[in-house]
Amino acid sequence: MSLLAALTRPEAEDFLILEASLLNEWKLEAWRALFTEECRYLVPNTNGDPYASPESSLYLIADDGHHLTERVKRLNKKTAHAEYPRSRTRRLISNVRFLERGKAMVKVESSFITYRSAQGVTDTFFGRHEHCLVEQDGGLRIAEKRTILDMEALRPQGRLSIIV
Amino acid sequence: MQHHQGAHADAALRIDEASGRFQVARSNYTDPSLHAAEMEAIFAKCWLFVGHESELPKPNDFVTRRVAGRPVIYLRDREGKVRCLLNVCPHRGAQVCRQKKGSAKLFSCIYHGWAFENSGRNINIAESETYHEQFNAPGSNAQLNDLVPVPRFESYRGLWFLNFDPGAVSLHDYLGNAREYIDIVMDQAELGMQVVGEMQEYSARANWKLLAENSTDILHVTTLHPTYLDLVKTNSAGTMVRGKVMGKSIDLGNGHAVVEREASYGRPIAKWMPMWGEEARVEIEAIYAKLVGRYGKERADRMSTCARNLLIFPNLVINDIMSVTLRTFQPTAVDYMEVSVWAIAPGEEFGKPALSRRLTNFLEFLGPGGFATPDDIEALESCQRAFAAHREAPWNDLSKGLGRKPDATDELPQRVFWLQWRDRLMQRAG
């Protein structure tokens, strides 16, 4: 049986917990390696349809594989001023369930709360992730991660300088 | 109060032309009493951006937003006329519309049921038979039962502005020399500029004037945005590297200013970059050829290869840079502002790869998830935190380029802003 077909809900949850821990620990290259080369990392606008096409709608983040690689490079630089000195973050993942179970792809939904603390201020981000997972080289990879924020606006957080 | 404001504003700037020094008091960004003074002298007197006409494509479309703290409904009425009504029930003051956007022929107040056509005209008063017969009679003061429109509401090239001062000069005259630069942005579109998707809404824990300064500040790009410049270098296969910025800063009058210079990145209109591929090169050459056809080579070159950062005093930014953005910011406290941002694009790009390139270009730099804007927010908030030392370290410096023909990285636009700010607070400006 293929990895995807045999994937249980707790295993999917373990994968998301691993992903969150890499982000909490700022191991961003290892985090990037969880994705396929030609992946998408999407954060739709807090206004409008979160499934509108990023080709014709303004998103907050709409990275393809190239831009995600570049984003990771940026966040590892001291000149990424919004994140240097690095913020402290903690990601809580919950309510994990399958939305779709296809042969080539499974879609997993999770709820999240992410705390970010920096420069005397703590901000909270909350919403849901939708991960499209595929199998590659005998392991799970993220082909698309869509992070749908539940906040009405990025206020008072003001920025999405971290990967929430 | 007037005297106090004036005295305050006089101490706000320190200008010594003999030694080429232009200083701004840091208390201007931190004094809570100034917030109220600015709301009166600037935000209740200047033309303020409300929205773009393409946000209301059909009759009965509406959006609600806050402009200078006031809740407004920006709408297209059933006859197709664009209006701006204060979102406050004439009866007991609840907001008559509590949705962010939608389509509605009428607004009905949840509190006591008064209802209004989207022209603002009252069509229902709860238990109207219990009122005096003259209360809502034609020819009496029945208009007191209607929604209140903003005192002035005018548009230029698809941009709608309001003014809370009934006696203000026309929008046309207020924009003045800035119109030329709005034109060069809007003229890039054959089918008109249109908003792409929805606006981004974010904030900064900083005084609003810091973002007014920042939006036309080209000096900071090299130091604050090296990670963006690295990205452009990668995307352009090393062909686009920032050197000396060739261009100029221009005082447009009334507090407006623009920086126009050679762009050091690809532009959807119409400067190709290698990452976009050969197909895009052909498309961009066609866009450029059309611009030459419409406006001649000189203006087409200026549209294509130059970037523009334009500030319309006090709080509208039109940046025609790697993408075109409208940005406005509303102070809600001396140390906090709400920022709203739109991407606009020529109508003819919709449904084509050109729009996707434009959005990618936008997100590479702009917005709260971009490779640059978060660092701007960080810098602004860093200033605001540091201004707490204003008593012992009282002055900001904006002297760069004073006394010469200012180039693109001089601090002329910031000086223009502050002089207008001072004149407005001292009530010297028209």
Side-chain angles (χ1 to χ4, degrees), chain B residues 24-79:
Chain B
V24 175
R26 290 178 174 148
S27 58
N28 295 338
Y29 308 86
T30 61
D31 179 351
S33 74
L34 269 178
H35 177 67
E38 287 174 342
M39 278 295 139
E40 203 46 49
I42 294 174
F43 288 86
K45 296 278 169 61
C46 293
W47 284 96
L48 305 174
F49 181 65
V50 178
H52 191 268
E53 65 179 4
S54 65
E55 293 180 272
L56 307 170
K58 297 186 300 294
N60 304 316
D61 286 346
F62 71 84
V63 298
T64 57
R65 49 189 55 146
R66 280 185 180 271
V67 179
R70 282 80 152 173
V72 300
I73 315 174
Y74 168 56
L75 64 87
R76 194 178 288 276
D77 72 16
R78 61 182 77 188
E79 267 86 48

Side-chain angles (χ1 to χ4, degrees), chain B residues 62-114:
Chain B
F62 71 84
V63 298
T64 57
R65 49 189 55 146
R66 280 185 180 271
V67 179
R70 282 80 152 173
V72 300
I73 315 174
Y74 168 56
L75 64 87
R76 194 178 288 276
D77 72 16
R78 61 182 77 188
E79 267 86 48
K81 184 178 175 189
V82 179
R83 294 178 184 268
C84 191
L85 305 171
L86 291 165
N87 188 6
V88 50
C89 185
H91 179 216
R92 296 269 287 273
Q95 291 167 284
V96 298
C97 180
R98 297 176 310 122
Q99 288 174 327
K100 259 185 133 164
K101 66 179 295 183
S103 175
K105 287 187 177 146
L106 53 89
F107 301 106
S108 185
C109 182
I110 58 165
Y111 198 5
H112 303 91
W114 284 34

